[in-house]
Amino acid sequence: MKHNDLQRAHRLLCSPFVDEEAFRAALGGGRGDISTIVRYLALRPLARPALSVYFDREFYLATNPDVFEERQDPLLHFIEIGFPALRAPHPLIDLTFIVSEDPAALGTPPDMARLVALLEQDRAPPSPYFDPAWYATELREAAPTHSMLRHFLAGGLAAGRPVNRWFDPDYYMRMYADVPKDRYGALRHFLLVGDAEGRMAGPRFDGRLYRRRYIDVADAGVPPLWHYLTNGRREGRQVPAERTAPLPGPARPAEVVPLAEPMPVTAADMERSFLAMRRLLDEAQQARKDAVQPVAPQTTLPGDPRAAVARLAFPPAEAPRLSILVPAYNEFAHTVGCLLAIAAATPPFAFEVVLADDASSDPDMALFAEVANLRRLRQKRNVGFVRNCNDALALCRGEYVLLLNNDAQVLPGALGRLAGALDEDAGVAAAGPKILYPNGRLQEAGCYIRPCGESTMVGLFADPQEGGFCRDRDVTYCSGAALMLRRSAIGARLFDPDFAPAYCEDADLCLRLIAAGQRVRYVHAAEVVHHLSVSTNRQSQAGKLRSIARNQQKLVDRWGDLLARLDRVRMIAFYLPQFHQTPENDLWWGSGFTEWTNVVKARPSYEGHYQPHLPADLGFYDLRTADALTRQATLARRYGIEGFAVYYYNFGSQRVLGATLETVRANPNIPFSWCLCWANENWTRHWDGGANEILVEQSYDAATLEAIIADAVAHAADPRYLTVNGKPIFLVYRPLLLPDAPGFAAACRAGFVRAGFPGVHLVYVESMEAVDRRLKQTDLGFDACVEFPPHGRAVPAESAADIIKPGWHGYRYDYPETVRAFCRRDSVPYMRYPSVFPSWDNTPRQPMQGTSFDGATPEAFRVYAEEKIDEVRQFLVGEERLLFVNAWNEWAEGAHLEPDTGFGHRWLEALRDAAEAKRWG
Amino acid sequence: MAVPDSLPVTFIGHPFAPIGMGEQLRSHLAAASAAHVEWGVLDIFRYAQRGDAAHHDLIGDREIARPRGGIRIFHVNGDEVDRVLDAFAARGGDFAGGYNIIVPAWELPLYPKQWAARLTKFDEVWALSAFVQESLATAGVMSHLVGQSVEVKPGLLLPRRFFAIRESAFVLLHFFDLTSYAARKNPFGVLDLFGRLRRAAPFLDIQLVLKVKDGEQDGADWAEALGSDPLVRVISTPLDSLGVRSLIAAADCFVSLHRAEGFGRGLGEAMAMGRLALGTAWSGNLDFMTESNALLVRQTQVQVPADAYPHWQGQTWAEPDIDHAAALLAPVLRDPARGRMRALRGQAEVLRRHGNRAVGLRILDRLDAIAAALPGRGRTAPRRRRVAAPTA
């Protein structure tokens, strides 16, 4: 034996891939002992012991003929050569799959320790066929704490535990004579051979049928179950399987389904649906909070505060720009910490610190008298927070005043950034920082006040690094714990003494500023840690809550109308005008074609599938008529919908479907408010905006773009056109198809300004390719984007469908789960308008290949809308408070608020109820 | 000054009863909670079924089994004082061992003298409306105006389809109680109004929904008599809190052409839910209804007819002007958006003045004042502050 071989074997066998226990058991000694290595090498390669549960020698040899031919040791080959090349060590460990799911999962180059950690700690599924999380759920109490795959391979499989929902080894053995008659052998056979051949994995998955239903899968030649598990499931594809219940004869003819019947309404069903959706969203919220891994900011409270005070000094300031007003009542150590943090912050301008001691009883508080250049107010008796601050304001000489609680600590840069926000914009009268808990969780990223006078701290307990909290924005108010004020804006008196001794005085101050036309701004890059003193005495806690209630009542008595106005959320629904004949559609689809043509033909694809949706109150309208438009607009208003985002089509040579808005513009009495959404995509035979079988192509030449901008400007001149802060709203449906989005945006802005508008509010739709690109609208030159559910977040329905339509091969999604997915997505560091969708189903357009959402109920929709209204309240302010709905009348996509025979006004009622539920609290 | 914990606050009455006295008590429970007043509640007779989930949500585990000392707030009527106090004693209650407040309901301008005498057993009387306060005063009873909350907790609402109400219609809703004296609620006035509206505009899409309080024979008779008219929907099955709030939300306008109301809770709740309210411009509902936040119907005062109501002698009540009611509704029916603007104002004003917190703070103010007047801050029995005896 060559020395080199021994060394190599030793090195490789010391890999974390090799199981130490298995090694000792097989070779009678540890890997450190060279004699055991010698013993190992003395065995014939194929007689060597199995040293890892994660390695299947036969599988490795079968899938790596080079190893077999060269008679190499398969295990050592894997460790040395196979692993870096991502060859699979085991049928259930697919390294290519792992890396395709998460390119960083194994590191670069691949690190064996990370693979072992991934497997042992169940960090990710090792194969599409095995999901450790699912396995753990399936085993319930019997599940081990970790290493699910090890558990499965070391005994679970033999004991009849399932590898996944679909594969059944016993069934597979029975079905096919050539399959080894042991469970592992059967599993390996299926993974190596059976799936690729389209065999039945079990009674619930027939690969042949799956291929027959999804021709693209057959064409791609991929194993059907592998396809389903990696892609099909996420796409909502349906597993063809034997029916669970025997049905009489062939599939039921669709014609027996009663049409135009109202859906049954029982209180119990509605309550169940409402509560279930609420619970799903509450759990999602809690899970998000639990998932936060806060990083505690660098702050220190002095170990020996007395000594620290002795060392403390502030620079002299003859003409300070900033006065830092620190009110204090005892809490000596915190106060020292607060002042030390200021001293360490050294803002880039002259400042002074005014300590307002509200007759503290702690004798140590007298020590502050010795601090150089600390201005100090000492109350003779305790006057309470409000009066103490008001008195101290008289001592403040700065142009800006930072109110800073004595249990707060500014982090480096905060003072300069807050002052910067005031410098930058003379309309901003107050600026508040990001306030953190000492443990690093977010305490407040600005606040909003509900009409009842209660306030909500934006982002409470969340991850302070989450996108939405990392954007400066106007807010209703920021807590007085740390609030920088423009002295000239607040007048002679800081807080209203009506609010003495304390609570809501800061909200009252901010509202006073807003009422005077000033703004309050949240400045995300300025950070302050707030220790929040905890009151332990129950009696004082009740007293505190009562004081808060009294002051909230005062706030409402004084600012009630302003609060209601500030909290208002406007709802805008996407609107499709394709409900009238056009020459183009007559030509392409036959004379008389409108959306209704497809809508009425739809039939249920599976048991419980709600189709067709047939219009109720508004009938089969023609959107060229003023009467239909008036009735639509009146209905929308009745349920609190502000207006419509109307799709606009301009293909350069032709404008299509413009008759609707022509009628609206010609009839100023129709209470129809709108903004345009340029649907910049090709029209195709498939209604998918794609590039196949194009009917008319979207062009982007200069003349077309110019015409589009001119049209938008002309529409915006109508007093009914929707605006944000005076700027007309203009949406673009597919921003990434614009050859030069920033150029278009700039041209748009110039066009509006030329026409005398203060600008344009440019919004793009997060549709199709724009979802989750983490695009910033500023990169595209836009002001905001708008969610476009269900695009981008749809969650497939996994329940089996009882298919009615012979040959149907569509996609099913789960409405409540999709709503949850949309509600738990991270906020973003730019302006994104939330949207909701009532339901979605394009069976009218794709009868055999439709996509539908199961479990959509008005009650779930209501909870969804409430959740999104709260999102609007958190991240948007004033006229930016818009909630979009997809859609008002997409009848052929099953997304319509307009009444149909099945649900009547229930979607509209649900939306109104959601808005009204938020009108006070 | 705050209410000390040594002085527990107990609401006593019919906390689970689906009647006005139960509603006013529950409204005080919600209000007290909003002002962070700790309370217990005692069901004095335990007659009522306890099937309403909303009641359990509100009361939770704060029901107490036996009377206790401290401040007791009785939500009972003058005519049931004796029975209630007997039951109180029978349950082991020491009436003299606490500070007793009564919150009586009453609907006519003169409070019955024989009931007023019973109120003198209490240390203090709270009035549910200015109207009740004035009525009590006519019997020489001094009271504190606390009012009641009309705030409705947001939650699931059942849609119009659940009640088989026309979704497209402008819906007028009226509540009345056949077991009580129907003349006071005046459902006939509402039918009259509806008839006029329809004669004026036969094809107008409006519907009248009558919620009849009791599912007894009278209600069924009513339903049958009106049953042939698809534009009048009579709902005579009993509804729980969810049903009632859903029904109010399902309406466009709550109508009460009452001849007298102690407070007018239905109107108030409808306004709190953002619905337009149309009501006679007289009695308790004027605490919260104004010309600008609701539709107030002119009225003239007339003698209460013999036996039209208990203690009718010498009393007057309102005769609402149905023509005026129709005239008020006409512009709203033409343009419902106008009604919604008015309703929005009404909602804001009602919730600010008659919401849980506003009423709770008025309760808290009284409790604080009572506690402040106690010698030794609640360690001994409260000083008696007897209600004035009725004038002869």
Side-chain angles (χ1 to χ4, degrees), chain A residues 711-730:
Chain A
D711 277 358
V713 167
H715 278 262
D718 193 290
R720 292 165 294 177
Y721 197 89
L722 296 165
T723 61
V724 167
N725 298 323
K727 297 178 179 175
I729 304 170
F730 182 55

Side-chain angles (χ1 to χ4, degrees), chain A residues 262-285:
Chain A
M263 301 292 275
V265 274
T266 74
D269 284 351
M270 286 187 271
E271 202 154 10
R272 202 174 305 120
S273 183
F274 181 82
L275 295 175
M277 191 70 248
R278 187 65 266 162
R279 198 167 46 241
L280 260 187
L281 295 189
D282 288 345
E283 283 168 10
Q285 259 182 18

Side-chain angles (χ1 to χ4, degrees), chain A residues 89-309:
Chain A
H90 189 281
L92 285 177
I93 301 173
D94 183 342
L95 301 182
T96 319
F97 167 78
I98 291 172
V99 171
S100 72
E101 291 290 291
D102 175 9
L106 300 179
T108 333
D111 175 358
M112 189 64 89
R114 292 181 66 165
L115 172 64
V116 174
L118 181 143
L119 296 171
E120 293 292 333
Q121 294 164 28
D122 306 307
R123 288 182 182 171
S127 149
Y129 296 103
F130 184 83
D131 178 354
W134 181 84
Y135 185 72
T137 315
E138 192 66 15
L139 261 59
R140 292 193 204 139
E141 298 86 61
T145 55
H146 56 87
S147 313
M148 297 303 152
L149 181 59
R150 174 181 291 280
H151 181 273
F152 174 71
L153 295 173
L157 174 62
R161 302 294 194 189
V163 63
N164 58 44
R165 202 185 293 259
W166 313 103
F167 181 73
D168 177 343
D170 299 342
Y171 177 92
Y172 189 66
M173 280 185 253
R174 276 202 311 277
M175 280 291 286
Y176 302 102
D178 60 338
V179 170
K181 297 295 179 256
D182 70 279
R183 283 182 177 148
Y184 181 73
L187 173 64
R188 187 166 62 187
H189 184 276
F190 178 74
L191 299 186
L192 269 172
V193 180
D195 197 13
E197 290 179 358
R199 298 196 192 189
M200 290 192 70
R204 301 167 68 190
F205 191 92
D206 183 337
R208 213 168 30 90
L209 286 179
Y210 188 76
R211 277 183 172 158
R212 192 183 299 165
R213 178 169 290 176
Y214 298 107
I215 301 300
D216 56 332
V217 177
D219 288 349
V222 293
L225 184 58
W226 181 89
H227 178 272
Y228 177 71
L229 292 171
T230 52
N231 290 298
R233 182 160 53 173
R234 289 176 210 172
E235 294 162 3
R237 299 199 194 218
Q238 296 304 297
V239 170
E242 292 173 2
R243 288 174 184 275
T244 42
L247 287 174
R252 194 180 307 185
E255 279 63 34
V256 304
V257 176
L259 299 183
E261 286 290 314
M263 301 292 275
V265 274
T266 74
D269 284 351
M270 286 187 271
E271 202 154 10
R272 202 174 305 120
S273 183
F274 181 82
L275 295 175
M277 191 70 248
R278 187 65 266 162
R279 198 167 46 241
L280 260 187
L281 295 189
D282 288 345
E283 283 168 10
Q285 259 182 18
Q286 189 57 46
R288 279 176 57 81
K289 279 181 186 161
D290 292 346
V292 174
Q293 295 181 322
V295 180
Q298 286 287 324
T299 56
T300 43
L301 287 180
D304 180 355
R306 287 200 196 115
V309 171

Side-chain angles (χ1 to χ4, degrees), chain A residues 52 105-106 132 140 167 169 181 220 226 250 466 469 587 742 782 824 892 895:
Chain A
S52 168
L106 300 179
R140 292 193 204 139
F167 181 73
K181 297 295 179 256
W226 181 89
E466 194 185 310
F469 313 125
L587 181 67
F782 282 60
R824 68 177 300 178

